[in-house]
Each structure stands twice: as structure tokens, then as C-alpha cells.
Amino acid sequence: MQILTGKQTATYATHSYSREDWQRGYNSLKEEFDYWIEDVDGKVPSDLCGTLFRNGPGLLDINGERLHHPFDGDGMICAISFKNGRAHFRNRFVRTEGYCQEQKAGRILYRGVFGTQKPGGWLANAFDFRLKNIANTHVIYWGGKLLALWEAAEPYRLDPSTLDTLGPDDLDGLLKPGDGFAAHPRIDPGCDRNGGQPCLVNFSIKPGLSSRFTIYEFNSMGKLVRQYSQVVPGFAFIHDFAITPHYCIFLQNPVSFNPLPYALGFCSAGQCITFQPDQPTRIVLIPRQAGIEGRQLGEPAKIFEVASGFVFHHVNAFEQGNQLTVDSICYASLPSVEPDADYRQTDFEALSPGQLWRFQLNLETGEIQRQLVESRCCEFPSVHPSKVGQPYRYAYLAAAHAPQGNAPNQAILKVDLKSDDRQLWSAAPRGYVGEPVFVPRSSGAEDEGWLLTLVFDASCDRSYLAILDASNLNQGPIARLYLKHHVPYGLHGSFTPQCFVESQVSGLLNCDLEG
Ligand code: CO
């Protein structure tokens, strides 16, 4: 943890951050780069091998016209490849149809879900229901495909070596035009319906007065092996889910949706969603099906009600006998994106922090217990990949520097769910962290591995990749890999042991084969 000293104590006397510093992490990155990272503090572990892919909004403006919210920004993929103690950086925009059109036109042509409007006021926006697929939320390498995900539309496929956009991908005809595909797939590490092989589980939701949840399960070749649906009462605004060997778990946030102002051009679709604090959250368990294929309904969902606030992300879930546990980041309320507000002027203290809660469901009696596990403001949870859906001990999160209150993420927090111990590394006062991605080191202890996170360093307006030893966060990064530029705050990423960068010696490398 950094100690505040001298001049910094004066500047950051009341907070661990300054809003001016934080804002600059939301400048667009318009250039695309391709280089070996030479500016390294510390040492890149020689046994860290593979590629970190990361997605997030790269453009926060179109030719100087500012977007209303970062979630409306065009997706930009970063790939950081590790081999033999060296690291290579590359970033490319996902060349979606909308990105190409707007870059050619040099102006905003589409309304965004989170408040971006076309210039010209409500008349210019009324009754324009076209959706711009911005492919900006997550990126996964599965079944030989690199896919950039955005929940309201189909994925975009990219070349994992060059990050060239290959085009929208309908997953071998699975997705029809207009179908969504969530940005939060979960990888079941050892699915017993797949002979113990891993499978990727994802969902899509068609919201309405009642909402249709469809679950897709893919084997490691990327082939669809199971698909089943369930209709659940009420409107569903759901970003993430969790899995166990027998269930897909959703928290159906208490919101209402009034599309009229959107239709009339006054605001975006996302701004028509209103949090209903007096309503309970529904926990929806959809049983995972053994052999169903096609679009038929599966076994009925089990629905529980609980007071929980609003949830974007889950840490994990697991079953023990009749008890199912879900760990989630909960907010007391959903901050609304006001049409005339500027996100860069966010008053952090006026908002409720995300906090880690544990829900324990008795599947026989329907009883629920909930418990606050961590009150420090936190987000972007990550766990060991072999513990997904299984009882687990460690959660890793991006968190605030201070133990109380709402603030930007400046620290990486490790929560030991068994001993209740904590470890923390803070990049404050001038560093702002992103999602920590856990990379296992071997088949050893659950925390034997590294955490990779991109940090925006406001002291030099550049970003660095921090490599942390997950078994000892308190000691700080074992390496900081400084990029030549900043990378705007991102959303989600994933690690694959394959290394796609060309080395001077042997062309494409595969760590699995060579490592
Ligand atoms: Co997310």
C-alpha cells in the first residue's frame, strides 16, 4: 500500500483520489498499437505464459462529440501476450458496422443504450429504435474463436493474432438477427454432463411483462450441446449470472421499464429503467438440463424473494446438500443515468457502494439468509477458474482505497471466505485499477497464481499492467508493465494459456505445447 506523503497529502487530504485525475482515464484512445513492452518495473514471471484479452470502451467521443456514458463507447480489445518473461501489447477497435459508419461519417449516427443521443434534440431521435452493436463488454477465446461480447446483440469474431475483426458471429446459426447473447459466460470447469470436460454456459433474455431466459451450453470445441428456456414473470434487466453443477442462478433486480420517453426521443432505453427499492429482488434458479436441445422449455424455475438492492455481478455460487450459496456485489440502489448529467462529474459520495453479500438458499424449505461479507466498496469479482460453481475460499475484487464509503476502484482486494482475512494492494492516490483476472500458476493451492489488472496512472497519463502474486497481495505488484499510452477504463477480460504473438524465433507459439 502506498503512503501519502508531502505534496500529495495536501492534494489528496480528504480523499485517496482526485476527480480530475480519475476523469482523464476516460479520454478516448484513438491510436492502435503493436509493440513489445520494454518499460518494466520488476520482473515478468517466466512461467506466466499466454494471452490476456481485455475489452472496454476505447472511444468516449466520436470526432469530438462526447458520448453520454462510457457504456456507450465502441469496444476496443487489448491483447497482452506473455512468453519467456516478456510481454507484447496490441490494441484494435472492434470494427462493428456502427463503428465503421460513424468513423466514416465523423459524427454520432446512433442512439446509445446509456443516454447517448444523436445531435438535433428529441425530434432527431424519436422513433429511431436502431441498435448499434458496440461489442464492448467482454472478450473470450473459446472453441478456437475470439469473440467480443455485448449483451444486446450477437458477438463479433476477431483474429486472435492480429485482432482484425472478422465480422458478426451467429454461433453456427444459433443466433437469429436481433437475438442477444449475454456478455457474462461462465466456464463450468468439469461439467458432469460433458464427461468431466469443461463447458461454456451463457444466456440471453427477451424481456417483457414476463421474460424468456434461454441458456446455451457449449463444449470446448465451441459446439452447442444444450439449449433450454424458461419464462419468468416480470421484466428482467440482468447483466450477469452464476452457475452450479445443477443450476443457473439469476438475480432479477426490482426495476420497472417505461419505454415511452425513449420512443419519443427524450432519453435512451437504459434511462427508462427505474429501480424499485420497495420491491424484493427475485433469485431465479433455472435447473440445468441434461440432454435437451432445441428451443423447448426445461424444468420449471425455482424463485426466491429477498431484499437485496441492485446486482450487476456475481462472484460465484455453489451447492452443499440442500443449500445453495450465491455471492454477489449488491448496491442499495441503481444510480440512474440522467439525461442532462455528466458522468465525469460523478459525486462518488452521493452514490451507494457495491458491497459483497452472501445469500444462502435452502432448496427444500425455501428459506433464505443473507449476510454482508465485505462492506468496502468493490466490483469486478474474480475467482480461480477451477472453482467456478464449486465451494471456494478466495474472491479477488477491484475495490476502493478506503474501507468505507463509495469511491473509484484504486485497490485490489483478496477476501478469504474461510478465515475472513483480507489482503489489499492499493494504487492510490494516482492509480485507478480495473478488473483483476486470476491466472492459475499450477494445480497447487487455490491462491497460487497471478492477478493481472490494468491500472491507469494519472501521474504520467499512462496505464500499466500490474502483475500481483495472488498469495501475497500486500507486497504489491511483482511487476508493473508500463504501456506507452493510457487505456481507457475497461470492463471485462479473460486469460487463455495460448500465446498468439509472433516471436523472433518460431512464429506462433502455444504455451500448452511448448511450456
Ligand atoms: Co459485467
Side-chain angles (χ1 to χ4, degrees), residues 12 17 132-133 152 179 209 268 280 291 300 338 364 370 421 464:
Y12 302 92
Y17 63 95
K132 177 187 170 193
N133 182 346
D179 280 355
L209 291 176
S268 69
E338 300 296 337
E364 235 174 45
R370 64 182 191 124
D421 281 348
Y464 61 86

Side-chain angles (χ1 to χ4, degrees), residues 82-192:
F82 302 92
K83 182 73 187 175
N84 298 331
R86 297 191 69 203
H88 180 276
F89 178 86
R90 173 178 281 130
N91 71 307
R92 296 295 302 276
F93 280 93
V94 187
R95 280 159 171 75
T96 62
E97 197 186 351
Y99 170 86
C100 295
Q101 290 168 341
E102 289 188 329
Q103 289 306 303
K104 195 171 167 210
R107 61 193 168 89
I108 294 172
L109 301 175
Y110 288 88
R111 308 173 74 185
V113 173
F114 290 90
T116 302
Q117 297 272 59
K118 294 183 288 179
W122 66 271
L123 264 178
N125 289 278
F127 304 107
D128 182 353
F129 302 118
R130 295 172 308 146
L131 209 52
K132 177 187 170 193
N133 182 346
I134 49 179
N136 75 355
T137 311
H138 200 348
V139 53
I140 52 162
Y141 184 70
W142 185 259
K145 287 180 180 179
L146 184 67
L147 299 173
L149 304 177
W150 183 65
E151 65 198 33
E154 70 273 62
Y156 263 79
R157 185 173 176 190
L158 303 116
D159 180 315
S161 301
T162 61
L163 300 183
D164 285 343
T165 302
L166 303 174
D169 194 290
D170 66 5
L171 306 174
D172 300 325
L174 174 65
L175 302 177
K176 308 282 175 282
D179 280 355
F181 190 68
H184 274 285
R186 296 273 171 180
I187 297 172
D188 184 336
C191 180
D192 57 4

Side-chain angles (χ1 to χ4, degrees), residues 247-250 283-287 300-304 324 361 363:
Y247 295 98
C248 294
I249 300 126
F250 299 85
I283 302 181
V284 178
L285 308 187
I286 296 186
K302 297 182 206 292
I303 298 179
F304 298 72
L324 188 144
L361 284 61
L363 298 177

